[in-house]
Amino acid sequence: EVQLVESGGGLVQPGRSLKLSCAASGFTFSNYYMAWVRQAPTKGLEWVASITNSGGSTYYRDSVKGRFTISRDNAKSTLYLQMDSLRSEDTATYYCTPPFGGAYWGQGTLVTVSS
Amino acid sequence: DVVMTQTPVSLSLAIGQPASISCKSSQSLLGTSGKTFLNWILQRPGQSPKRLIYQVSKLYSEVPDRFSGSGSETEFTLKISRVEAEDLGVYYCWQGTHFPLTFGSGTKLEIK
């Protein structure tokens, strides 16, 4: 059974940092391009960042470029999102997904940026 | 970025009725590979999204065959032949042909 378990969310003040993790199981993680997608409260879905299967290439939406870093550890089947200089508009539930590799979704982890 | 426009914004249907949701993209989603990366997902209330359809019309194994997808280039449709209670939620189309991935704004299906 495929599982994606996101963790690391919480309440954080503006300007601070947070690191999200996504533990994958049930599929060959190292074979797949992975992405983080977020959903602000009561809003739609928004792509945040992607990484190739080897980790050699990364991609970001403009609003997080220079502040967020996506990475992966294929030996641990885990995806990460380091979020620095957080802003109130980053408040959302963050999901990890292999968009072209089965498109599974985890339960998400809620990040709330507020003073 | 490719803009994905979904209509209608909401649907209210009785169990057993058919449903149809449109998704239009601002650019052709036919990729250089010859594949069209137009996908559908369903988010039930209080839950994370669930996969439904990939590459326009291919159902994931666990998806009931009352769901179907069709379309090409810039116009796509998700159909449910007979709505069931478990189908309520928000349906999103999303494209993976062009960078960045973009999502439609969603269609909310309510059960009368």
Side-chain angles (χ1 to χ4, degrees):
Chain A
E1 181 196 2
V2 171
Q3 280 200 312
L4 293 164
V5 180
E6 299 94 340
S7 61
L11 174 61
V12 61
Q13 292 179 327
R16 304 298 291 264
S17 299
L18 213 54
K19 186 172 185 176
L20 307 184
S21 299
C22 168
S25 61
F27 66 104
T28 308
F29 179 77
S30 58
N31 285 354
Y32 293 105
Y33 177 104
M34 293 293 295
W36 286 99
V37 173
R38 67 185 179 186
Q39 185 172 38
T42 73
K43 300 295 185 184
L45 298 161
E46 178 179 83
W47 169 79
V48 176
S50 298
I51 187 168
T52 53
N53 59 322
S54 67
S57 295
T58 56
Y59 310 90
Y60 302 92
R61 69 179 302 106
D62 287 347
S63 61
V64 309
K65 221 173 273 186
R67 300 188 298 122
F68 289 12
T69 304
I70 187 172
S71 62
R72 65 193 295 160
D73 184 335
N74 285 342
K76 295 182 177 179
S77 296
T78 302
L79 180 71
Y80 303 101
L81 186 67
Q82 175 69 43
M83 303 186 295
D84 299 325
S85 304
L86 282 161
R87 305 169 181 168
S88 58
E89 55 263 36
D90 296 320
T91 293
T93 296
Y94 285 73
Y95 299 99
C96 67
T97 180
F100 306 108
Y104 304 100
W105 295 75
Q107 86 290 346
T109 187
L110 176 62
V111 173
T112 303
V113 184
S114 174
S115 54
Chain B
D1 295 3
V2 177
V3 177
M4 305 296 288
T5 303
Q6 281 184 242
T7 54
V9 171
S10 65
L11 280 175
S12 182
L13 296 170
I15 290 174
Q17 283 191 293
S20 182
I21 299 171
S22 170
C23 175
K24 295 184 179 181
S25 57
S26 60
Q27 298 177 38
S28 172
L29 299 186
L30 177 61
T32 53
S33 63
K35 294 181 180 179
T36 300
F37 294 99
L38 184 282
N39 314 281
W40 293 93
I41 54 178
L42 164 61
Q43 189 171 31
R44 296 187 176 101
Q47 295 187 17
S48 59
K50 296 288 189 287
R51 62 187 196 171
L52 288 177
I53 289 173
Y54 66 104
Q55 292 179 33
V56 181
S57 60
K58 300 176 183 179
L59 269 62
Y60 285 102
S61 57
E62 70 275 15
V63 177
D65 61 7
R66 63 178 181 275
F67 288 89
S68 64
S70 62
S72 62
E73 302 281 355
T74 61
E75 298 194 5
F76 305 91
T77 304
L78 173 70
K79 291 186 177 181
I80 309 174
S81 58
R82 295 174 306 280
V83 167
E84 296 192 6
E86 65 180 17
D87 299 337
L88 88 164
V90 180
Y91 291 81
Y92 295 93
C93 61
W94 65 272
Q95 67 83 23
T97 298
H98 301 286
F99 175 83
L101 306 183
T102 49
F103 293 82
S105 53
T107 295
K108 185 174 185 178
L109 174 59
E110 298 176 324
I111 305 297
K112 281 183 185 175

